[in-house]
Structure formats: structure tokens, C-alpha cells
């Protein structure tokens, strides 16, 4: 009798573990699609990552001092894209306006829409990293096999050399991560819908 009770108890535990795993995976997928709007809201509220430094004009002050800027590219697991920085690093003068390029390619057999978030490290440099043009928080749709080149135009505010916490920074890294657009169905779901509308032979 005790053996049967033990078996039932073990079975209930296994079911509980399996259910927890399902909820965890489902939650992670949901967070992947919610990552972009949540990050955008966080940046708008806190100014984190240089969001408040999106500017319309270029710097009119250029210092006789350079700073190294490197570029990083990432893609979330829910997006079948290749994404890379064409220009890996530059060393502009502080205050000099620079254009660099990223490139994305859709490896899927259907159109897919993505959206990028970014961050700047070290974090203290974010307030001085001014983007004149970028593709962050922009809905980007790529056709099957399509490759798109995306420019980023920026300058580092000369005021970076005046603050104690930033005056000794020698390298800044700008990193982008592309996520599936939150209002787009995953590729697998699109494929299922495509099969549904095809006539049966």
C-alpha cells in the first residue's frame, strides 16, 4: 500500500515539474516578444542607454582628442536572422560626427519583422553618446533571403571629458540586439497559416 502511495506521490511531483517547465518556457517566449516595448518604456522613463540623447543636429565642437568606439551585434533566439556590424570599430575625434554600418539578413523562407534595442557601455558614457540617425526601436521587415544595410550616425559629446566619472574613458561599445517584433507571429506559426490556405490536392 505504501509503495502505491509513493508511486502516486512521485507521479504528482513529475507532473508538477513538467508543468513548471512548460510555464517557464512559455514565459521566456513571451518575454522575448515583450522585451522591445518593455526596454523602450524603461529607457523613456529613466533615460538609460542614451535614449534621451537622440539628437537632430551634429556637434559644432570637435576636440583634438580621440576615443575608440566598438560595435556589437546580437540576435535573439526567436529571430532567424544574421546580424553583424560591418564596421567593427572607429576612432573618431571627440565631437566628430561619424557614420558606421550594420547589416541584417533574413534566413527564413517567409517575410519576418524585427526590432532592435541597444545599450552603451560603460553605462556612464550613455549620456554622452549622441545618435543623429539609428535603427533602434524601428520596425524592420526583411523578405526571404533579403539583406539590409543599416547606418548609424553618431558623435561623442565633448562634455564627456569634463565629468570625473567619464573623463578617463578610452573605449565605448555600442551594442544592438534584434528581437522579433512583438505583434508578429513566429515563423513556425506563419508557416502553419500558409499551409492552411493552400488547397488540398
Amino acid at each position: 500500500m505504501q509503495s502505491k502511495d509513493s508511486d502516486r506521490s512521485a507521479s504528482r511531483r513529475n507532473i508538477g515539474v513538467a508543468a513548471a517547465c512548460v510555464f517557464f518556457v512559455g514565459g521566456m517566449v513571451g518575454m522575448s516578444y515583450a522585451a522591445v516595448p518593455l526596454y523602450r518604456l524603461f529607457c523613456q522613463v529613466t533615460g538609460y542607454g542614451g535614449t534621451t540623447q537622440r539628437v537632430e543636429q551634429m556637434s559644432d565642437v570637435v576636440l583634438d582628442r580621440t576615443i575608440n568606439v566598438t560595435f556589437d551585434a546580437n540576435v535573439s533566439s526567436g529571430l532567424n536572422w544574421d546580424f553583424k556590424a560591418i564596421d567593427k570599430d572607429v576612432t573618431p575625434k571627440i565631437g566628430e560626427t561619424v557614420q558606421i554600418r550594420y547589416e541584417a539578413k533574413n534566413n527564413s523562407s517567409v517575410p519576418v519583422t524585427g526590432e532592435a534595442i541597444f545599450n552603451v557601455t560603460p553605462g556612464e558614457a550613455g549620456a554622452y553618446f549622441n545618435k543623429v540617425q539609428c535603427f533602434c526601436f524601428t520596425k524592420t521587415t526583411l523578405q526571404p533571403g533579403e539583406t539590409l544595410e543599416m547606418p548609424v550616425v553618431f558623435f561623442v559629446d565633448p562634455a564627456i571629458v569634463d565629468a570625473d566619472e567619464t573623463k578617463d574613458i578610452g573605449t565605448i561599445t555600442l551594442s544592438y540586439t534584434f528581437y522579433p517584433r512583438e505583434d508578429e507571429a513566429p515563423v513556425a506559426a506563419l508557416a502553419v497559416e500558409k499551409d492552411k490556405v493552400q488547397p488540398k490536392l
Side-chain angles (χ1 to χ4, degrees), residues 16-37:
V17 170
C21 290
V22 169
F23 283 120
F24 176 77
V25 172
M28 292 301 291
V29 171
M31 285 301 295
S32 173
Y33 282 88
V36 175

Side-chain angles (χ1 to χ4, degrees), residues 28-201:
M28 292 301 291
V29 171
M31 285 301 295
S32 173
Y33 282 88
V36 175
L38 288 175
Y39 185 85
R40 184 195 298 117
L41 178 60
F42 173 71
C43 288
Q44 288 171 346
V45 170
T46 65
Y48 174 80
T51 299
T52 56
Q53 279 65 55
R54 180 68 182 267
V55 296
E56 301 297 329
Q57 61 184 15
M58 302 176 186
S59 173
D60 56 0
V61 176
V62 178
L63 304 182
D64 190 23
R65 173 178 165 182
T66 60
I67 189 166
N68 189 44
V69 184
T70 63
F71 306 97
D72 182 47
N74 305 280
V75 180
S76 78
S77 59
L79 194 63
N80 187 17
W81 285 13
D82 288 331
F83 178 50
K84 64 181 182 180
I86 298 176
D87 304 292
K88 304 297 184 182
D89 61 84
V90 293
T91 308
K93 290 185 175 181
I94 295 175
E96 178 185 359
T97 300
V98 180
Q99 177 174 309
I100 59 93
R101 299 159 298 156
Y102 279 81
E103 182 181 271
K105 179 182 179 181
N106 178 14
N107 296 317
S108 303
S109 59
V110 294
V112 177
T113 300
E115 190 171 354
I117 65 172
F118 72 94
N119 71 288
V120 173
T121 55
E124 296 84 357
Y128 303 93
F129 197 93
N130 294 279
K131 298 186 301 300
V132 181
Q133 178 185 350
C134 78
F135 52 86
C136 53
F137 304 135
T138 300
K139 184 176 178 180
T140 303
T141 301
L142 297 181
Q143 299 302 313
E146 181 183 2
T147 298
L148 178 66
E149 192 172 291
M150 296 169 289
V152 177
V153 180
F154 72 92
F155 65 89
V156 178
D157 190 333
I160 195 171
V161 303
D162 297 327
D164 289 338
E165 65 272 18
T166 58
K167 64 181 181 181
D168 295 323
I169 291 176
T171 299
I172 297 174
T173 298
L174 174 64
S175 179
Y176 284 95
T177 301
F178 256 107
Y179 287 86
R181 173 73 179 194
E182 68 271 11
D183 55 1
E184 295 288 323
V187 172
L190 291 173
V192 169
E193 291 300 318
K194 184 178 180 181
D195 290 338
K196 285 182 180 180
V197 300
Q198 289 179 342
K200 301 293 185 182
L201 299 179

